[in-house]
């Protein structure tokens, strides 16, 4: 059952955290990582 990685797995692609992962906009970052990468991807207005 290869379900650790792949489509449908809601984990942060940066730290593999699965809590508070933001799936919107195809970011797939958890909230913590999102705050770090948001400025570089133009989402700083959301934080
Ligand atoms: Zn993360």
């Amino acid at each position: 059952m290869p379900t650790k990685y792949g489509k449908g797995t809601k984990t942060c692609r940066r730290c593999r955290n699965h809590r508070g992962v933001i799936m919107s906009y195809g970011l797939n970052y958890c909230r913590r990582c999102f705050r770090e990468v948001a400025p570089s991807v133009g989402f700083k207005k959301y934080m």
Side-chain angles (χ1 to χ4, degrees):
M1 301 177 68
T3 55
K4 283 291 182 180
Y5 301 96
K7 299 174 182 176
T9 309
K10 295 180 176 59
T11 53
C12 173
R13 63 181 178 183
R14 189 166 182 266
C15 69
R16 301 303 181 188
N17 187 359
H18 61 272
R19 293 186 59 189
V21 176
I22 301 173
M23 302 298 293
S24 302
Y25 316 111
L27 291 171
N28 296 5
Y29 287 116
C30 68
R31 296 177 68 178
R32 183 174 180 177
C33 289
F34 178 71
R35 290 189 63 174
E36 298 185 26
V37 300
S40 61
V41 295
F43 278 96
K44 57 184 176 181
K45 66 180 179 180
Y46 289 96
M47 286 295 169

